[in-house]
């Protein structure tokens, strides 16, 4: 099952109600950067896996250092994404 939100404030509100096993987090959001939200997620929801996506490969190191489990630079394929999700939840 897939849900989505459009910004970090909505993500925080969503996470207070729901506990997803995997979050696909874009870096550039209207109210901030996803890389800055990773450590917050990991502190509050340690078991949640994070797939970080960005149009900038330069965000890879920061995302992984902050706790992202997987990083994809746009564009990426659905197959790559599905394989990563399967690996993270199994």
């Amino acid at each position: 099952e897939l849900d989505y939100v459009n910004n970090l404030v909505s993500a925080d509100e969503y996470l207070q109600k729901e506990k997803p096993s995997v979050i696909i987090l874009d870096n550039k959001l209207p109210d901030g950067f996803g890389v800055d939200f990773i450590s917050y997620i990991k502190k509050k929801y340690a078991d949640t896996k994070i797939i970080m996506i960005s149009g900038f490969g330069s965000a890879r190191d920061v995302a992984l250092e902050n706790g992202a489990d997987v990083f994809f630079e746009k564009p990426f394929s659905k197959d790559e994404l599905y394989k990563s999700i399967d690996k993270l939840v199994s």
Side-chain angles (χ1 to χ4, degrees):
E1 187 176 316
L2 180 66
D3 287 328
Y4 74 94
V5 296
N6 294 313
N7 56 56
L8 297 174
V9 171
S10 296
D12 190 26
E13 292 169 358
Y14 179 85
L15 289 171
Q16 291 175 32
K17 299 177 207 159
E18 302 292 332
K19 304 297 180 253
S21 54
V22 178
I23 294 173
I24 302 169
L25 180 62
D26 198 354
N27 189 34
K28 191 173 181 185
L29 298 165
D31 56 350
F33 291 98
V35 291
D36 298 328
F37 196 58
I38 295 169
S39 56
Y40 172 80
I41 295 169
K42 287 296 188 171
K43 283 179 189 168
K44 288 191 82 168
Y45 313 100
D47 294 336
T48 301
K49 303 298 183 189
I50 299 172
I51 298 174
M52 180 81 210
I53 61 174
S54 177
F56 299 96
S58 58
R60 175 184 308 273
D61 290 342
V62 175
L64 296 173
E65 287 170 12
N66 286 353
D69 298 283
V70 176
F71 179 90
F72 284 119
E73 183 176 354
K74 297 175 190 176
F76 54 89
S77 72
K78 286 189 282 187
D79 285 342
E80 290 175 295
L81 181 63
Y82 295 155
K83 285 178 187 176
S84 289
I85 292 170
D86 286 342
K87 189 175 181 181
L88 290 173
V89 298
S90 55

